[in-house]
Amino acid sequence: MAVNTNKFSPVEQNNSNTSNLSQHKGDGFPDIKKIIYMVLSNWYLFVISIPICLASVFFYHRYTQDIYRGSVTIMIKSDEAKTISRAELIEGFGLSPEMKSIENQTIILRSKKIVKRAIDKLDFAVDIFSDGVMKDYDMYHKSPFMVRMDSSHAQLLNTAIHIQPLEQNKVKITIETEGAALHTFKDEQNHGTSGHISFSQTINWGDEIETPYCKFKLEPKYQGIREGVNYYFYFRSHNWLASSYRNRIGVSPYKEGSSILYISTTGTNTEKITRFLNALSHVYLEQSLERKNEIATRTISFIDIQLKQVSDSLKAAQNKLSRFRRSNLYSAPSEMSTRLTDQYFEYEKQLKFLDIKENYYKNLNKHLKENPLSEDYLMPAFSQDANGFISTLVTELLTLSNERDMLSTQSSTINPALEDLERKLDVSKNSLIVALDKLLKNVKMEKDKLLSDMGELSGKMNHLPELERKYLDIEREYKLNDAIYTFLLQKQSETQISKASNTPDNEIIDEAVITGIVSPNKSKNNRQALMLALVIPVAIIILKEYLNNKIRSKEDIYAIASGLPIIGYIPQYKGSHNNVIQKEPISNISESFRALRIKLKFMCPSNQTSIITVTSTNTGEGKTFCALNLASAYAISGKKTVLVGFDLRKPRLTEIFSHYNNNGLSHYLIGQTKLDDIIYPGDLDNLKIIPSGAIPPNPSELIANDYTKKLFTELQEKFDVIIVDSPPIGVVADARILMDYSYCHLFVVRAEHTIKEHFKHTIQNLMSENIENIGFIYNDIANSLGNYHYYTDKYYEESKNKK
């Protein structure tokens, strides 16, 4: 057999078939199959995760307190007539028509003043709970006992007082705290803190507990309270309750622009929710009615003062008239004098009414300029126009002032809504001042006209007889006071009727109802638990995949070495034989080596000895196993084959064939023996083995000497195929030296074993040196990855059965 001496220089030839095999284009399906495989191979994660998540959400729902939402519906009324009148009268002053915005109503409804008044109407000061194993229950109006506290005595706030019913009508009371606020409910005052308390006492039901920090009595609602169920309760101050409930109030319109509002709140006890909402809605309506009644009350008070003054004047005039008649024998006045007197009386009456109006307007103007937010606003009860703009503007100012006071109790001074109310207050006040100034001018003009007319009439009356004139003056004074008194009584009666007929501005459409459970949302939580049960295993799989640094699929190989082909797929072998070609010739793993042998025809020359180097990145990747079975595959095809154990550091072939004491390759490389003395028969015909021999201290130097070249020359003369079991090229450089003598370089990659980074680094080094004819053997592929091989064990089992 001719020797190809050119083969012993570095390979410079390109194999066109190799370039064809190096092209790999995926259709996307392997990726999907890989995902499906990863999911199926980790099925146990889903089996564990789904029951755990569903059981967790079940117990969460079972032992979590339900939070309910309740709502009440209110309609905000608007006085259209008043709105139009005001819009017309204050046009030009910058004050828009009356609009009750949702934001302002929300502020009013959530104001501390309104919520506190609602809490004051309720019996929420004592919070009683049953002490459950996993979940406690609010026992409002359901507890078997009542707590009667002394409202004038200091009580512990927000501290659990535990109640343990015992036999024989006994009950044990326990209090443990490091310090709590002390509060008297009668005057709603705090009195410092209690300091450390450790209190325990057993009493009879109905006995009173009195300590420096609490005083109350437990009264059972029925005899024989069951043992084994413990309770505890809290004392809650009204201010604390108001703050707590304020944070849970929600206000929303039925729809945009609608005057119907939904007022809602949340809590764990449905009865508490409905009672609070009903109390809040009624207080909200009451406050608007109180504002109306307050105005009417002030008007009545003003009239009472005027009545007292006029009553005194009327009595004085009546007494004066009686004395005059007793002192003078005077007959009835003449027709002329009576006519003049009646006319003069009408002028005086009109002037008196103007004085009252002027007095009211001056006082109101003075309050606006000196103390614009005082509580001394009076309704213009004596205005000719009862629904006039003064009444409207005063009501506007009082309403805005009320809203401003409520908002200022729960927000900072930089709140935009508060700033808007301040602007409206300024506009309303300025509008009222301007209107009052104009009215005062009109009143002065009317008074001047009346005084002028009265002066002319007085001149005519001066020509009457003196006695008659005196009588008429006294009678006129009496009639004037009587008319004013009658007028004031009429206004007083009208105002009282108006006050009695006042109704709230707003109306409750629907009383409070429970609209549903806010938390926990069982359907949503179940969906999330199921989703989490699927996400957790997927996340673990992704994390495992991300943290995994091993080659797990052919795609991993192509991702690192996209220009190099995989020419052999070796399935996972769980048997104990090293030479599966000999021991299990009819099997899918044996067939995979036959397929590898066929593919190597495209990489090795057909007219000379094929020299094939088998290497790997690291030890333990099946390099020797693949080399032995590949050599066996060639041998059974009739090729004279030799397997050379060039792994001088870890001589695996020596171990397999038990050549521990025989001469081997290391002895040949140092010139101690001849080639024929180190060639041993294999387990098959046409298969020879050259073991590694004794482990030398300098393997690389031995491989690099001239005996290696001589070895390959002699082997080419004797064999058709030379399989070189070389050391791992990723660990030592020996395999790189041997590559210069071979036609084809097989790189074994073991699934789930070869480290990606090490593999990548090794391949990059080889490709940077322009090493040709490199192909991969993908070894130890799991049987579940059937897409990597073409024959199944079932096929071979059927073949065996036919035999």
Side-chain angles (χ1 to χ4, degrees), residues 47-92:
V47 172
I48 295 171
S49 176
I50 292 175
I52 288 177
C53 289
L54 293 181
S56 298
V57 77
F58 170 78
F59 285 108
Y60 173 75
H61 292 158
R62 176 67 179 81
Y63 296 110
T64 299
Q65 191 71 266
D66 291 336
I67 298 177
Y68 301 89
R69 182 185 299 280
S71 70
V72 64
T73 309
I74 288 182
M75 182 173 68
I76 308 297
K77 296 180 181 178
S78 60
D79 190 343
E80 296 181 1
K82 188 169 74 171
T83 301
I84 295 172
S85 171
R86 289 169 57 189
E88 293 173 347
L89 290 170
I90 63 177
E91 185 178 1

Short mmCIF file of all heavy atoms in Angstrom, two decimals, residues 47-92:
data_model
loop_
_atom_site.label_atom_id
_atom_site.label_comp_id
_atom_site.label_asym_id
_atom_site.label_seq_id
_atom_site.Cartn_x
_atom_site.Cartn_y
_atom_site.Cartn_z
N VAL A 47 -46.90 18.71 38.71
CA VAL A 47 -47.67 17.87 39.62
C VAL A 47 -47.53 18.37 41.05
O VAL A 47 -48.48 18.30 41.85
CB VAL A 47 -47.20 16.40 39.51
CG1 VAL A 47 -47.84 15.54 40.58
CG2 VAL A 47 -47.53 15.85 38.13
N ILE A 48 -46.38 18.90 41.39
CA ILE A 48 -46.16 19.43 42.75
C ILE A 48 -46.76 20.82 42.88
O ILE A 48 -47.44 21.14 43.87
CB ILE A 48 -44.66 19.46 43.08
CG1 ILE A 48 -44.10 18.04 43.13
CG2 ILE A 48 -44.40 20.18 44.39
CD1 ILE A 48 -42.58 17.98 43.24
N SER A 49 -46.54 21.67 41.88
CA SER A 49 -46.91 23.07 41.96
C SER A 49 -48.43 23.28 41.97
O SER A 49 -48.94 24.07 42.77
CB SER A 49 -46.29 23.85 40.80
OG SER A 49 -46.71 25.18 40.80
N ILE A 50 -49.15 22.61 41.09
CA ILE A 50 -50.60 22.86 40.97
C ILE A 50 -51.35 22.54 42.26
O ILE A 50 -52.11 23.38 42.76
CB ILE A 50 -51.17 22.08 39.77
CG1 ILE A 50 -50.63 22.68 38.45
CG2 ILE A 50 -52.69 22.11 39.76
CD1 ILE A 50 -51.04 21.92 37.21
N PRO A 51 -51.17 21.36 42.86
CA PRO A 51 -51.88 21.11 44.13
C PRO A 51 -51.49 22.08 45.24
O PRO A 51 -52.34 22.52 46.01
CB PRO A 51 -51.48 19.68 44.49
CG PRO A 51 -51.06 19.06 43.20
CD PRO A 51 -50.44 20.17 42.41
N ILE A 52 -50.20 22.44 45.31
CA ILE A 52 -49.76 23.34 46.37
C ILE A 52 -50.41 24.71 46.22
O ILE A 52 -50.93 25.29 47.18
CB ILE A 52 -48.23 23.45 46.38
CG1 ILE A 52 -47.60 22.15 46.89
CG2 ILE A 52 -47.77 24.62 47.24
CD1 ILE A 52 -46.09 22.13 46.86
N CYS A 53 -50.41 25.26 45.00
CA CYS A 53 -50.97 26.60 44.77
C CYS A 53 -52.48 26.61 45.00
O CYS A 53 -53.01 27.52 45.63
CB CYS A 53 -50.64 27.07 43.36
SG CYS A 53 -48.90 27.47 43.12
N LEU A 54 -53.17 25.58 44.47
CA LEU A 54 -54.62 25.54 44.65
C LEU A 54 -54.99 25.32 46.11
O LEU A 54 -55.96 25.90 46.62
CB LEU A 54 -55.22 24.44 43.77
CG LEU A 54 -55.12 24.67 42.25
CD1 LEU A 54 -55.78 23.54 41.50
CD2 LEU A 54 -55.76 26.01 41.86
N ALA A 55 -54.23 24.49 46.81
CA ALA A 55 -54.49 24.28 48.23
C ALA A 55 -54.20 25.55 49.03
O ALA A 55 -54.93 25.90 49.96
CB ALA A 55 -53.63 23.12 48.76
N SER A 56 -53.15 26.27 48.63
CA SER A 56 -52.80 27.51 49.33
C SER A 56 -53.91 28.54 49.19
O SER A 56 -54.29 29.20 50.16
CB SER A 56 -51.48 28.07 48.78
OG SER A 56 -50.42 27.18 49.01
N VAL A 57 -54.43 28.71 47.97
CA VAL A 57 -55.48 29.70 47.78
C VAL A 57 -56.77 29.26 48.47
O VAL A 57 -57.54 30.10 48.97
CB VAL A 57 -55.71 29.97 46.28
CG1 VAL A 57 -56.50 28.86 45.61
CG2 VAL A 57 -56.44 31.30 46.08
N PHE A 58 -57.01 27.95 48.56
CA PHE A 58 -58.19 27.45 49.27
C PHE A 58 -58.10 27.81 50.75
O PHE A 58 -59.06 28.33 51.33
CB PHE A 58 -58.32 25.94 49.10
CG PHE A 58 -59.36 25.33 50.00
CD1 PHE A 58 -60.70 25.42 49.66
CD2 PHE A 58 -58.99 24.68 51.18
CE1 PHE A 58 -61.67 24.87 50.50
CE2 PHE A 58 -59.96 24.13 52.00
CZ PHE A 58 -61.29 24.22 51.66
N PHE A 59 -56.96 27.54 51.37
CA PHE A 59 -56.80 27.85 52.78
C PHE A 59 -56.75 29.36 53.02
O PHE A 59 -57.19 29.84 54.07
CB PHE A 59 -55.55 27.17 53.34
CG PHE A 59 -55.72 25.70 53.54
CD1 PHE A 59 -55.09 24.78 52.71
CD2 PHE A 59 -56.52 25.21 54.57
CE1 PHE A 59 -55.25 23.43 52.88
CE2 PHE A 59 -56.68 23.85 54.76
CZ PHE A 59 -56.05 22.95 53.92
N TYR A 60 -56.24 30.10 52.04
CA TYR A 60 -56.26 31.56 52.16
C TYR A 60 -57.69 32.07 52.22
O TYR A 60 -58.04 32.91 53.05
CB TYR A 60 -55.51 32.18 50.98
CG TYR A 60 -55.63 33.69 50.91
CD1 TYR A 60 -54.91 34.50 51.78
CD2 TYR A 60 -56.46 34.29 49.96
CE1 TYR A 60 -55.02 35.89 51.71
CE2 TYR A 60 -56.58 35.67 49.90
CZ TYR A 60 -55.86 36.45 50.77
OH TYR A 60 -55.98 37.81 50.70
N HIS A 61 -58.54 31.55 51.32
CA HIS A 61 -59.96 31.95 51.34
C HIS A 61 -60.65 31.46 52.61
O HIS A 61 -61.51 32.15 53.15
CB HIS A 61 -60.67 31.37 50.11
CG HIS A 61 -60.22 31.98 48.83
ND1 HIS A 61 -60.37 31.35 47.60
CD2 HIS A 61 -59.61 33.16 48.55
CE1 HIS A 61 -59.88 32.11 46.66
NE2 HIS A 61 -59.40 33.20 47.20
N ARG A 62 -60.25 30.27 53.06
CA ARG A 62 -60.91 29.69 54.23
C ARG A 62 -60.61 30.47 55.50
O ARG A 62 -61.48 30.64 56.37
CB ARG A 62 -60.44 28.24 54.39
CG ARG A 62 -60.96 27.52 55.62
CD ARG A 62 -62.46 27.31 55.56
NE ARG A 62 -62.94 26.59 56.73
CZ ARG A 62 -63.18 27.15 57.91
NH1 ARG A 62 -63.00 28.45 58.06
NH2 ARG A 62 -63.62 26.42 58.93
N TYR A 63 -59.40 30.98 55.62
CA TYR A 63 -59.00 31.59 56.88
C TYR A 63 -58.70 33.08 56.77
O TYR A 63 -58.10 33.66 57.67
CB TYR A 63 -57.76 30.86 57.43
CG TYR A 63 -58.06 29.42 57.77
CD1 TYR A 63 -57.53 28.38 57.01
CD2 TYR A 63 -58.90 29.09 58.81
CE1 TYR A 63 -57.80 27.06 57.30
CE2 TYR A 63 -59.18 27.77 59.12
CZ TYR A 63 -58.63 26.76 58.36
OH TYR A 63 -58.92 25.46 58.66
N THR A 64 -59.11 33.71 55.68
CA THR A 64 -58.94 35.16 55.53
C THR A 64 -60.28 35.84 55.76
O THR A 64 -61.32 35.38 55.27
CB THR A 64 -58.42 35.51 54.13
OG1 THR A 64 -57.14 34.90 53.95
CG2 THR A 64 -58.28 37.01 53.96
N GLN A 65 -60.25 36.92 56.51
CA GLN A 65 -61.48 37.66 56.81
C GLN A 65 -62.04 38.28 55.54
O GLN A 65 -61.34 38.93 54.79
CB GLN A 65 -61.18 38.77 57.82
CG GLN A 65 -62.40 39.43 58.41
CD GLN A 65 -63.15 38.55 59.37
OE1 GLN A 65 -64.09 37.87 58.96
NE2 GLN A 65 -62.75 38.52 60.63
N ASP A 66 -63.34 38.07 55.30
CA ASP A 66 -63.99 38.68 54.14
C ASP A 66 -64.19 40.17 54.38
O ASP A 66 -64.58 40.61 55.47
CB ASP A 66 -65.36 38.03 53.89
CG ASP A 66 -65.24 36.60 53.41
OD1 ASP A 66 -64.19 36.25 52.85
OD2 ASP A 66 -66.20 35.83 53.59
N ILE A 67 -63.89 40.96 53.35
CA ILE A 67 -64.10 42.40 53.40
C ILE A 67 -65.23 42.75 52.43
O ILE A 67 -65.13 42.45 51.24
CB ILE A 67 -62.81 43.17 53.03
CG1 ILE A 67 -61.71 42.83 54.04
CG2 ILE A 67 -63.08 44.67 53.01
CD1 ILE A 67 -60.39 43.48 53.74
N TYR A 68 -66.28 43.35 52.97
CA TYR A 68 -67.47 43.66 52.18
C TYR A 68 -67.48 45.13 51.79
O TYR A 68 -66.86 45.98 52.44
CB TYR A 68 -68.74 43.34 52.97
CG TYR A 68 -68.85 41.89 53.40
CD1 TYR A 68 -68.31 41.46 54.61
CD2 TYR A 68 -69.49 40.96 52.61
CE1 TYR A 68 -68.41 40.14 55.03
CE2 TYR A 68 -69.59 39.63 53.01
CZ TYR A 68 -69.05 39.23 54.21
OH TYR A 68 -69.15 37.93 54.60
N ARG A 69 -68.23 45.42 50.72
CA ARG A 69 -68.47 46.80 50.32
C ARG A 69 -69.97 47.08 50.37
O ARG A 69 -70.77 46.27 49.91
CB ARG A 69 -67.96 47.07 48.90
CG ARG A 69 -68.16 48.52 48.47
CD ARG A 69 -67.76 48.73 47.01
NE ARG A 69 -66.37 48.43 46.80
CZ ARG A 69 -65.37 49.25 47.08
NH1 ARG A 69 -65.63 50.44 47.59
NH2 ARG A 69 -64.13 48.90 46.85
N GLY A 70 -70.32 48.20 50.97
CA GLY A 70 -71.72 48.64 51.00
C GLY A 70 -71.82 50.02 50.39
O GLY A 70 -70.85 50.78 50.33
N SER A 71 -73.01 50.38 49.92
CA SER A 71 -73.19 51.70 49.30
C SER A 71 -74.59 52.21 49.58
O SER A 71 -75.53 51.44 49.83
CB SER A 71 -72.94 51.63 47.79
OG SER A 71 -73.97 50.90 47.15
N VAL A 72 -74.73 53.53 49.56
CA VAL A 72 -76.00 54.22 49.68
C VAL A 72 -76.08 55.22 48.53
O VAL A 72 -75.06 55.76 48.09
CB VAL A 72 -76.11 54.92 51.05
CG1 VAL A 72 -75.07 56.00 51.21
CG2 VAL A 72 -77.51 55.49 51.26
N THR A 73 -77.28 55.45 48.00
CA THR A 73 -77.46 56.31 46.83
C THR A 73 -78.15 57.60 47.24
O THR A 73 -79.20 57.57 47.89
CB THR A 73 -78.30 55.60 45.75
OG1 THR A 73 -77.73 54.32 45.50
CG2 THR A 73 -78.31 56.40 44.46
N ILE A 74 -77.56 58.74 46.86
CA ILE A 74 -78.09 60.06 47.20
C ILE A 74 -78.22 60.89 45.94
O ILE A 74 -77.34 60.84 45.06
CB ILE A 74 -77.17 60.78 48.21
CG1 ILE A 74 -77.29 60.12 49.58
CG2 ILE A 74 -77.51 62.24 48.33
CD1 ILE A 74 -76.46 60.77 50.65
N MET A 75 -79.31 61.64 45.84
CA MET A 75 -79.48 62.56 44.72
C MET A 75 -79.26 63.99 45.21
O MET A 75 -79.86 64.42 46.20
CB MET A 75 -80.89 62.44 44.12
CG MET A 75 -81.10 63.36 42.92
SD MET A 75 -82.68 63.09 42.08
CE MET A 75 -83.82 63.66 43.33
N ILE A 76 -78.37 64.71 44.52
CA ILE A 76 -78.09 66.10 44.83
C ILE A 76 -79.09 66.97 44.08
O ILE A 76 -79.09 67.02 42.85
CB ILE A 76 -76.65 66.49 44.44
CG1 ILE A 76 -75.66 65.48 45.02
CG2 ILE A 76 -76.33 67.90 44.87
CD1 ILE A 76 -75.63 65.45 46.51
N LYS A 77 -79.96 67.65 44.82
CA LYS A 77 -80.98 68.50 44.19
C LYS A 77 -80.38 69.85 43.83
O LYS A 77 -79.42 70.31 44.43
CB LYS A 77 -82.17 68.71 45.13
CG LYS A 77 -82.92 67.43 45.46
CD LYS A 77 -84.07 67.75 46.40
CE LYS A 77 -84.83 66.50 46.79
NZ LYS A 77 -85.92 66.81 47.75
N SER A 78 -80.99 70.49 42.85
CA SER A 78 -80.57 71.84 42.47
C SER A 78 -81.80 72.72 42.34
O SER A 78 -82.84 72.29 41.85
CB SER A 78 -79.81 71.83 41.14
OG SER A 78 -80.63 71.32 40.12
N ASP A 79 -81.70 73.93 42.82
CA ASP A 79 -82.80 74.89 42.74
C ASP A 79 -82.63 75.69 41.47
O ASP A 79 -81.87 76.65 41.41
CB ASP A 79 -82.77 75.81 43.97
CG ASP A 79 -84.01 76.68 44.07
OD1 ASP A 79 -84.70 76.80 43.04
OD2 ASP A 79 -84.27 77.22 45.15
N GLU A 80 -83.33 75.29 40.43
CA GLU A 80 -83.12 75.91 39.12
C GLU A 80 -83.49 77.38 39.13
O GLU A 80 -82.81 78.22 38.55
CB GLU A 80 -83.94 75.17 38.06
CG GLU A 80 -83.49 73.73 37.86
CD GLU A 80 -84.31 73.04 36.79
OE1 GLU A 80 -85.18 73.70 36.22
OE2 GLU A 80 -84.06 71.85 36.54
N ALA A 81 -84.61 77.70 39.81
CA ALA A 81 -85.05 79.10 39.81
C ALA A 81 -84.02 79.98 40.47
O ALA A 81 -83.68 81.05 39.99
CB ALA A 81 -86.39 79.22 40.53
N LYS A 82 -83.48 79.47 41.58
CA LYS A 82 -82.49 80.26 42.30
C LYS A 82 -81.22 80.39 41.48
O LYS A 82 -80.59 81.44 41.43
CB LYS A 82 -82.21 79.62 43.65
CG LYS A 82 -81.33 80.46 44.54
CD LYS A 82 -81.28 79.94 45.95
CE LYS A 82 -80.44 78.70 46.04
NZ LYS A 82 -80.20 78.30 47.44
N THR A 83 -80.86 79.32 40.81
CA THR A 83 -79.64 79.36 40.01
C THR A 83 -79.75 80.39 38.89
O THR A 83 -78.85 81.18 38.66
CB THR A 83 -79.37 77.97 39.43
OG1 THR A 83 -79.25 77.04 40.49
CG2 THR A 83 -78.11 77.97 38.62
N ILE A 84 -80.89 80.43 38.20
CA ILE A 84 -81.06 81.39 37.10
C ILE A 84 -81.04 82.81 37.63
O ILE A 84 -80.38 83.69 37.07
CB ILE A 84 -82.37 81.10 36.35
CG1 ILE A 84 -82.29 79.73 35.69
CG2 ILE A 84 -82.68 82.17 35.35
CD1 ILE A 84 -83.61 79.26 35.09
N SER A 85 -81.73 83.04 38.74
CA SER A 85 -81.78 84.39 39.30
C SER A 85 -80.40 84.87 39.67
O SER A 85 -80.01 85.98 39.36
CB SER A 85 -82.70 84.39 40.53
OG SER A 85 -82.62 85.62 41.20
N ARG A 86 -79.64 84.01 40.30
CA ARG A 86 -78.30 84.41 40.70
C ARG A 86 -77.41 84.64 39.50
O ARG A 86 -76.61 85.55 39.49
CB ARG A 86 -77.70 83.32 41.60
CG ARG A 86 -78.35 83.26 42.95
CD ARG A 86 -77.93 82.04 43.70
NE ARG A 86 -76.49 82.00 43.83
CZ ARG A 86 -75.86 80.94 44.30
NH1 ARG A 86 -76.53 79.87 44.66
NH2 ARG A 86 -74.55 80.95 44.40
N ALA A 87 -77.55 83.79 38.50
CA ALA A 87 -76.72 83.95 37.31
C ALA A 87 -76.98 85.29 36.65
O ALA A 87 -76.08 85.95 36.14
CB ALA A 87 -76.99 82.83 36.33
N GLU A 88 -78.24 85.70 36.66
CA GLU A 88 -78.59 86.97 36.03
C GLU A 88 -78.13 88.15 36.88
O GLU A 88 -77.62 89.14 36.36
CB GLU A 88 -80.11 87.05 35.83
CG GLU A 88 -80.64 86.05 34.83
CD GLU A 88 -82.14 86.05 34.79
OE1 GLU A 88 -82.77 86.64 35.69
OE2 GLU A 88 -82.69 85.45 33.84
N LEU A 89 -78.28 88.03 38.21
CA LEU A 89 -78.04 89.17 39.07
C LEU A 89 -76.56 89.44 39.33
O LEU A 89 -76.16 90.58 39.51
CB LEU A 89 -78.76 88.97 40.42
CG LEU A 89 -80.29 89.05 40.34
CD1 LEU A 89 -80.89 88.60 41.64
CD2 LEU A 89 -80.73 90.46 40.01
N ILE A 90 -75.74 88.37 39.34
CA ILE A 90 -74.33 88.59 39.67
C ILE A 90 -73.45 88.56 38.44
O ILE A 90 -72.24 88.46 38.55
CB ILE A 90 -73.86 87.56 40.70
CG1 ILE A 90 -73.93 86.15 40.12
CG2 ILE A 90 -74.66 87.63 41.97
CD1 ILE A 90 -73.41 85.08 41.06
N GLU A 91 -74.07 88.61 37.27
CA GLU A 91 -73.28 88.60 36.05
C GLU A 91 -72.36 89.81 36.04
O GLU A 91 -72.78 90.93 36.33
CB GLU A 91 -74.21 88.63 34.84
CG GLU A 91 -73.47 88.51 33.53
CD GLU A 91 -74.43 88.50 32.35
OE1 GLU A 91 -75.63 88.59 32.56
OE2 GLU A 91 -73.92 88.41 31.23
N GLY A 92 -71.12 89.57 35.73
CA GLY A 92 -70.15 90.66 35.72
C GLY A 92 -69.28 90.68 36.95
O GLY A 92 -68.29 91.40 36.99
#
